């Protein structure tokens, strides 16, 4: 049978026919995707907080000849600069050959992830246990954070003004911590609570130690012993907790997931998967036509507020400073700029099909996801990309044979969410969300498919070199 029926022919020409990339990608490309994700896992393991993730990227930027941005300088085409905002957010830029007033290509991801922050006075003793009080950061299902190994990350400012970096629980042989949960035998009352209340915010207490300091003359000796240990290791006292930034994150490393190793399971893939893919694509983009500005923002998980979040002015100021030596206003540059808001979307979960609408949800292994809008209810809280810009982005991806799909975050009125897209759009920039579909988003162990990760990298690479 070589002749196609007319109907078959028409269907091929006119109808959408999404395919699993495992069926359509050549073996070499599948192999490349697997190899690409080795670097991705290393990044996930090295950067479990926005500070660590941005420091890891800055180190690589320096090795590749990127220089700290100097707003006095007029940069030539091909110049590579970076701006590390308060050690938590990062902008990298490659100056293009086109005049800056033509606008720039922006890719904006975020490198903060949901976690348990320590309260300013976290340490207490109860029933001869040393415990940390926490305040969760970002949208979490609290019950998921009990009875898993946690590690402690962050910075402590000592009285003499030194910044001490803390990391306990990542190295082989390191101790870890955990939030305890009730045994089922005694959980009859707890089990009657709603899932939302199963573990309450004030029950997210971390177990830190149990042995008392040997001295009958003092009280709270377990607590004293723990402060003594922290003092030995980091030179800190209890007062230093009040000014510190300390966070509990899952201590397990990123792993291949599945017998076929087709997926990555790890903490913090929202949104370090888009950070890594956009970083690699930008790093490999030599001498683009339009200046390429790649942003790794903080604070997205709590609404993008704060001076390291994209609802602040740091991106706007960076663009203005970049443009000034050419005699161009920042607003002129922004008004001609475009942006891919690089963030994950929910992938279809076979166990919970009822929250998605099957034709407009993203599927793992079906390619990079374009989300025209996010938000909730009647498109509240979204920038909603225009048809013109959607068309432009789709042409850029199609020209480079990037496999993409469309994705909406759940059924209408099921819930919703937002990204940094709206904040960049508010600067008069054309923006659309592009990223990787994820299962178990915001859980301590999130799931992505390696082919999607790789295709997202290819999408950012296509956009990075595009000049519309
Ligand atoms: Mn995100
Ligand atoms: Mn998120």
């Amino acid at each position: 049978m070589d002749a196609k029926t007319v109907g078959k022919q028409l269907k091929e020409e006119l109808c959408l026919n999404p395919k699993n990339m495992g069926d359509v990608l050549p073996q070499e490309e599948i192999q490349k995707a697997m190899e690409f994700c080795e670097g991705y896992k290393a990044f996930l393991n090295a950067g479990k907080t926005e500070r660590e993730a941005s420091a890891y990227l800055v180190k690589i930027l320096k090795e590749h000849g990127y220089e700290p941005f100097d707003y006095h300088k007029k940069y030539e085409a091909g110049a590579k600069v970076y701006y590390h905002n308060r050690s938590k957010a990062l902008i990298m830029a490659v100056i293009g050959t086109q005049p800056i007033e033509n606008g720039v290509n922006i890719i904006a991801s975020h490198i903060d992830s949901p976690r348990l922050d320590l309260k300013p006075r976290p340490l207490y003793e109860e029933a001869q246990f040393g415990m940390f009080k926490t305040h969760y950061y970002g949208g979490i299902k609290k019950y998921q954070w009990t009875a898993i190994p946690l590690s402690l990350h962050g910075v402590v400012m000592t009285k003499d003004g030194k910044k001490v970096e803390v990391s306990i629980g990542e190295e082989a042989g390191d101790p870890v911590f955990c939030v305890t949960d009730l045994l089922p035998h005694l959980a009859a009352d707890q089990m009657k609570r709603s899932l939302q209340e199963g573990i309450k915010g004030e029950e997210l207490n971390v177990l830190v130690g149990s042995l008392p300091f040997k001295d009958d003359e003092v009280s709270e000796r377990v607590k004293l012993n723990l402060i003594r240990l922290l003092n030995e290791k980091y030179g800190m006292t209890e007062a230093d907790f009040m000014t510190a930034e300390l966070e509990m994150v899952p201590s397990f490393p990123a792993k291949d997931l599945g017998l076929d190793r087709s997926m990555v399971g790890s903490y913090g893939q929202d949104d370090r998967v888009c950070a890594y893919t956009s970083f690699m694509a930008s790093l490999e983009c030599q001498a683009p036509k339009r200046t390429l500005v790649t942003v790794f923002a903080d604070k997205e998980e709590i609404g993008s507020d704060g001076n390291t979040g994209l609802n602040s002015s740091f991106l706007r100021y960076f663009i203005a400073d970049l443009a000034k030596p050419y005699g161009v206003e920042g607003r002129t540059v922004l008004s001609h700029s475009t942006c891919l808001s690089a963030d994950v979307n929910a992938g279809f979960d076979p166990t919970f099909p009822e929250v998605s609408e099957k034709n407009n949800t993203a599927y793992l292994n079906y390619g990079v996801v374009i989300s025209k809008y996010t938000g909730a209810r009647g498109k509240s809280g979204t920038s909603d990309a225009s048809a013109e810009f959607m068309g432009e982005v789709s042409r850029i991806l199609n020209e480079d044979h990037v496999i993409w799909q469309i994705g909406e975050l759940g059924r209408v009125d099921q819930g919703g969410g937002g990204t940094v897209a709206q904040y960049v759009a508010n600067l008069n920039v054309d923006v659309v969300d592009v990223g990787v579909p994820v299962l178990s988003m915001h859980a301590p162990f999130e799931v992505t498919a390696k082919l999607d990760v790789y295709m997202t990298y290819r999408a950012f690479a296509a956009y990075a070199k595009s000049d519309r």
Side-chain angles (χ1 to χ4, degrees):
M1 272 290 291
D2 40 15
K4 283 179 189 162
T5 62
V6 179
K8 225 175 179 179
Q9 179 97 21
L10 264 185
K11 201 172 174 188
E12 263 177 35
E13 286 171 21
L14 302 181
C15 296
L16 269 176
N17 182 20
K19 290 194 179 85
N20 188 309
M21 288 190 290
D23 280 331
V24 293
L25 287 182
Q27 194 51 43
E28 311 89 77
E29 189 135 25
I30 291 177
Q31 194 49 42
K32 273 189 198 166
M34 301 295 144
E35 283 158 22
F36 183 82
C37 286
E38 292 304 303
Y40 171 47
K41 285 183 289 174
F43 171 65
L44 288 170
N45 292 338
K48 290 194 174 182
T49 64
E50 61 277 359
R51 286 180 186 273
E52 293 171 355
S54 61
Y56 184 87
L57 299 182
V58 165
K59 186 166 171 280
I60 299 174
L61 288 178
K62 284 181 182 163
E63 288 162 8
H64 282 75
Y66 278 73
E67 288 171 20
F69 176 62
D70 177 352
Y71 62 88
H72 299 102
K73 267 194 193 165
K74 186 174 177 178
Y75 289 101
E76 302 295 325
K80 299 165 174 177
V81 296
Y82 70 89
Y83 169 63
H84 201 180
N85 179 6
R86 297 169 169 87
S87 305
K88 292 173 164 220
L90 176 66
I91 299 177
M92 64 187 277
V94 190
I95 309 304
T97 50
Q98 285 188 6
I100 192 116
E101 61 252 53
N102 287 13
V104 301
N105 288 357
I106 303 168
I107 311 177
S109 64
H110 67 91
I111 49 176
D112 62 317
S113 294
R115 60 183 185 232
L116 305 180
D117 287 352
L118 297 199
K119 290 191 182 189
R121 282 189 64 187
L123 186 60
Y124 68 102
E125 179 170 336
E126 192 68 51
Q128 295 203 302
F129 285 115
M131 311 284 288
F132 280 150
K133 291 301 292 182
T134 67
H135 196 136
Y136 64 99
Y137 173 99
I140 61 167
K141 293 165 89 174
K142 300 181 190 85
Y143 71 88
Q144 293 178 335
W145 293 74
T146 65
I148 58 166
L150 299 170
S151 52
L152 179 66
H153 292 239
V155 294
V156 174
M157 304 303 300
T158 60
K159 275 182 208 65
D160 46 357
K162 265 193 298 183
K163 182 158 92 177
V164 183
E165 293 191 18
V166 173
S167 175
I168 304 173
E170 297 296 334
E171 299 300 320
D174 268 8
V176 294
F177 311 91
C178 75
V179 174
T180 57
D181 197 359
L182 267 180
L183 58 168
H185 318 65
L186 299 180
D189 290 338
Q190 184 198 26
M191 299 291 249
K192 288 181 198 138
R193 299 183 190 173
S194 68
L195 199 54
Q196 182 167 355
E197 292 267 292
I199 291 290
K200 299 175 188 175
E202 291 293 353
E203 291 170 345
L204 288 170
N205 303 322
V206 178
L207 191 55
V208 195
S210 65
L211 277 182
F213 183 82
K214 273 193 183 138
D215 181 348
D216 290 342
E217 300 299 306
V218 291
S219 62
E220 299 197 312
R221 293 181 294 128
V222 175
K223 178 177 160 182
L224 177 65
N225 194 39
L226 293 170
I227 296 175
R228 181 186 66 82
L229 289 168
L230 286 170
N231 184 266
E232 269 174 17
K233 188 161 184 188
Y234 298 113
M236 66 182 288
T237 65
E238 190 180 10
D240 295 329
F241 275 119
M242 293 192 288
T243 53
E245 242 174 56
L246 292 165
E247 294 131 17
M248 286 284 172
V249 298
S251 70
F252 36 71
K255 291 273 190 185
D256 285 345
L257 189 78
L259 269 180
D260 55 7
R261 295 177 178 271
S262 60
M263 295 166 281
V264 173
S266 172
Y267 166 66
Q269 297 201 74
D270 171 10
D271 183 34
R272 295 187 195 111
V273 67
C274 293
Y276 184 74
T277 47
S278 63
F279 179 79
M280 293 306 286
S282 304
L283 198 64
E284 288 158 14
C285 181
Q286 307 287 341
K289 294 185 188 103
R290 277 157 69 86
T291 294
L292 176 63
V293 175
T294 312
V295 187
F296 308 90
D298 178 29
K299 297 279 184 276
E300 193 278 341
E301 294 297 357
I302 55 168
S304 293
D305 289 318
N307 55 20
T308 51
L310 269 180
N311 196 16
S312 79
S313 298
F314 81 93
L315 174 62
R316 189 161 59 92
Y317 291 170
F318 177 83
I319 300 274
D321 288 344
L322 198 62
K324 201 176 166 202
Y326 302 94
V328 179
E329 294 282 351
R331 63 166 188 265
T332 310
V333 179
L334 284 164
S335 301
H336 296 114
S337 293
T338 61
C339 172
L340 299 188
S341 163
D343 208 343
V344 297
N345 202 330
F348 178 83
D349 186 328
T351 304
F352 302 103
E354 66 278 7
V355 301
S356 310
E357 185 264 288
K358 66 180 188 328
N359 288 335
N360 289 281
T361 192
Y363 293 84
L364 265 67
N365 284 320
Y366 277 69
V368 58
V369 189
I370 302 184
S371 311
K372 185 177 186 296
Y373 48 84
T374 58
R377 302 178 305 280
K379 295 195 176 181
S380 181
T382 179
S383 42
D384 201 356
S386 69
E388 288 87 342
F389 187 54
M390 288 290 288
E392 225 169 73
V393 171
S394 71
R395 281 193 299 279
I396 289 169
L397 301 190
N398 291 342
E399 270 166 31
D400 271 25
H401 308 287
V402 172
I403 298 173
W404 61 275
Q405 57 180 326
I406 215 74
E408 201 176 344
L409 185 63
R411 298 176 77 90
V412 177
D413 286 342
Q414 183 71 43
T419 64
V420 301
Q422 55 186 319
Y423 304 111
V424 181
N426 290 347
L427 300 173
N428 197 28
V429 176
D430 276 313
V431 188
V432 67
D433 279 297
V434 173
V436 177
V438 176
L439 300 184
S440 306
M441 197 196 293
H442 286 203
F445 195 70
E446 302 174 310
V447 176
T448 58
K450 290 182 181 176
L451 295 182
D452 296 323
V453 175
Y454 181 68
M455 205 45 76
T456 302
Y457 151 74
R458 286 204 37 218
F460 294 142
Y463 173 71
K465 64 180 170 61
S466 72
D467 65 340
R468 311 234 239 171

